[in-house]
Amino acid sequence: MNSSKLIDGKAVAARVLAQVKNDVQALKRDGIEPALAVILVGQDPASQVYVRNKILRAEEAGIRSLEYRLSADTTQAQLLKLIAELNDDDSVNGILLQLPLPAQIEETRALQAIAPGKDVDGFHSENVGGLSQGRNVLTPCTPTGCMQLLEDTCGDLSGKHAVVIGRSNIVGKPMAALLLKAHCSVTVVHSRSVDAQALCRQADIVVAAVGRPRMIDARWLKPGAVVIDVGINRIEEDGRSRLVGDVDFDSALPHVSAITPVPGGVGPMTIAFLMKNTLIAAVQQAHAQAQPASSEAPCLSIS
Ligand code: NDP
């Protein structure tokens, strides 16, 4: 395998986390201790693993974490009450509501209840709207992590043609908005696109966020394209369970100039940018408290 083509998400995530840790230490010297509240409703096994990992990373970065494990029969009113309390608590900077939620809870309503300044997942409509207007707001962790990988790999993205495969609210749409903000020409393809493969073959940058194992092979890729594979799909193969992306890695590798592996590509970036968003939220809240009259978001003094 040509390892020079591999985009090492683990290494980049470690670098981002190390920088967050440094910045957190500096904030603590100024008497500010960033804190992240993580809410898990129910006992979904995958969500429990994600929450445990998020809390571990927070501790490593020096971010205080508060964990709220609510029973699967929690009512919407109970969840909204907890979110309101966390919104009002000045010692909490970020609130993460682990998805999916049980059926009795309306996801949009719960996410909209989180104060936009504490919305470290970047899912509140105020942050979604701010991103589409090109403002500096909290942006969703997975696409923000993808942007870091792309900037590390390609440098200036201006003028590149990017194709995003998938249009979900958590990956595809914010990814497209971030690429547009970075001055790419952006095409979004989805399940209704006519000849998605031909559209994709025109791209300098391909971001695959579909949720279909190995759907994208060499036939979808222009020679020399840079490929970011967001997909995480568990499959049974050769008698064992393994994780694969939306891109057929072995088929794509000879055609591309760079590609993320699965696992070890985008996955680690998501948690790293959750920590970075918590840090950004803490800095913004500290600035807002110091300058209550200012209506403009302050410039961030973090790296
Ligand atoms: P969704 O299921 O919400 O969205 C999938 C998107 O793919 C939809 O927009 C859908 O189109 C589109 N799609 C489906 N089939 C096709 C097709 N044949 N051709 C073109 N487009 C198609 O998934 P998510 O965005 O939540 O996640 C995508 C993948 O990313 C999953 O594997 C998920 O596990 C992974 N993921 C990884 C993360 C990480 O940290 N690495 C974080 C989040 C997700 P339409 O809208 O028309 O239905």
Side-chain angles (χ1 to χ4, degrees):
M1 181 193 300
N2 185 347
S3 61
S4 66
K5 288 186 176 185
L6 278 190
I7 303 174
D8 186 348
K10 268 194 214 162
V12 180
R15 193 189 76 215
V16 172
L17 281 169
Q19 191 59 59
V20 169
K21 189 174 177 177
N22 264 347
D23 290 341
V24 166
Q25 280 166 355
L27 276 186
K28 283 182 174 171
R29 286 194 288 276
D30 289 338
I32 300 161
E33 185 187 22
L36 171 67
V38 181
I39 307 172
L40 173 62
V41 189
Q43 277 93 36
D44 177 65
S47 294
Q48 294 196 16
V49 174
Y50 293 143
V51 163
R52 196 163 51 240
N53 286 340
K54 287 167 185 173
I55 283 169
L56 276 174
R57 286 292 105 72
E59 279 165 9
E60 283 166 20
I63 292 171
R64 186 167 69 93
S65 60
L66 300 93
E67 200 177 338
Y68 296 87
R69 288 179 178 267
L70 309 184
S71 64
D73 60 359
T74 299
T75 64
Q76 176 137 310
Q78 287 167 327
L79 177 62
L80 293 180
K81 181 167 175 283
L82 171 62
I83 292 172
E85 284 164 9
L86 295 171
N87 284 341
D88 288 343
D89 184 342
D90 286 345
S91 73
V92 172
N93 306 109
I95 302 171
L96 180 133
L97 180 58
Q98 184 65 45
L99 302 177
L101 295 167
Q104 75 275 13
I105 294 172
E106 219 183 299
E107 184 179 295
T108 308
R109 194 149 163 226
L111 292 173
Q112 285 294 107
I114 297 173
K118 296 190 179 187
D119 170 35
V120 283
D121 257 337
F123 294 158
H124 191 287
S125 60
E126 194 166 315
N127 289 324
V128 175
L131 171 59
S132 81
Q133 290 174 335
R135 286 193 279 125
N136 268 338
V137 290
L138 292 167
T139 54
C141 304
T142 300
T144 308
C146 294
M147 288 303 291
Q148 180 75 58
L149 295 177
L150 283 170
E151 280 158 7
D152 278 20
T153 306
C154 309
D156 184 11
L157 301 179
S158 179
K160 303 230 182 274
H161 180 205
V163 169
V164 180
I165 314 171
R167 57 172 168 178
S168 71
N169 288 338
I170 63 169
V171 189
K173 283 181 197 151
M175 188 73 228
L178 286 165
L179 287 161
L180 200 56
K181 193 172 175 214
H183 311 296
C184 289
S185 304
V186 184
T187 304
V188 180
V189 305
H190 45 79
S191 67
R192 309 284 181 95
S193 295
V194 175
D195 205 351
Q197 196 181 101
L199 291 168
C200 194
R201 223 173 16 240
Q202 298 171 20
D204 305 310
I205 292 168
V206 174
V207 181
V210 190
R212 290 179 180 246
R214 297 182 181 137
M215 186 181 97
I216 318 298
D217 61 21
R219 292 169 298 168
W220 290 64
L221 302 169
K222 177 165 100 174
V226 172
V227 178
I228 303 289
D229 189 355
V230 182
I232 302 179
N233 309 289
R234 187 163 287 285
I235 61 162
E236 298 296 322
E237 194 171 67
D238 302 330
R240 67 190 181 102
S241 165
R242 55 182 305 198
L243 288 181
V244 299
D246 292 339
V247 178
D248 183 340
F249 185 86
D250 293 336
S251 162
L253 188 65
H255 290 262
V256 298
S257 62
I259 183 168
T260 54
V262 176
V266 174
M269 299 300 289
T270 298
I271 294 194
F273 274 87
L274 174 63
M275 299 311 139
K276 183 148 184 180
N277 274 354
T278 305
L279 172 69
I280 292 171
V283 171
Q284 285 180 330
Q285 286 157 36
H287 278 261
Q289 276 164 12
Q291 304 161 308
S294 166
S295 60
E296 281 295 307
C299 292
L300 299 181
S301 57
I302 57 170
S303 40

